[in-house]
Amino acid sequence: MFRSVRDYLSGLSFRTGAIVAAACVVFYVLSFAQMLLPISVTVKGVLWVVLFGLAKTAQYTALLIVGRAGVQKMRGWFFRKRSQRSGE
């Protein structure tokens, strides 16, 4: 079963993987930003578990979609953009 899911996800486009990776970042930010809300500690704990779980799920799904070559491509794009901005 895992192999069929993995094969399906690896067949998706690089753009889809980048979108899922962006969702991962959003879930990470939300999982920690919700601590600033004026709600009970219990609700904060439940929200953190749910949002952090979604972030981890999106992270590993994005890795399955883009694969090793896609991660290297994203890393190169990020560092190339960063070095161009700092060199200006």
Side-chain angles (χ1 to χ4, degrees):
M1 183 175 150
F2 177 73
R3 182 169 290 205
S4 64
V5 171
R6 186 187 67 189
D7 291 342
Y8 172 74
L9 289 175
S10 64
L12 295 174
S13 70
F14 175 79
R15 184 176 183 175
T16 304
I19 291 169
V20 174
C24 168
V25 171
V26 170
F27 286 133
Y28 273 123
V29 168
L30 289 175
S31 71
F32 290 103
Q34 58 84 25
M35 295 294 181
L36 301 173
L37 296 174
I39 53 179
S40 72
V41 175
T42 306
V43 175
K44 286 181 183 183
V46 170
L47 279 173
W48 185 81
V49 167
V50 170
L51 291 170
F52 196 77
L54 285 170
K56 280 298 186 185
T57 302
Q59 177 184 354
Y60 291 122
T61 302
L63 287 174
L64 281 173
I65 292 171
V66 299
R68 175 185 253 171
V71 169
Q72 291 174 348
K73 181 179 177 180
M74 289 174 74
R75 206 179 271 168
W77 180 81
F78 178 73
F79 288 120
R80 182 175 47 245
K81 293 288 186 181
R82 178 185 264 178
S83 65
Q84 287 176 354
R85 277 187 247 141
S86 64
E88 292 177 358

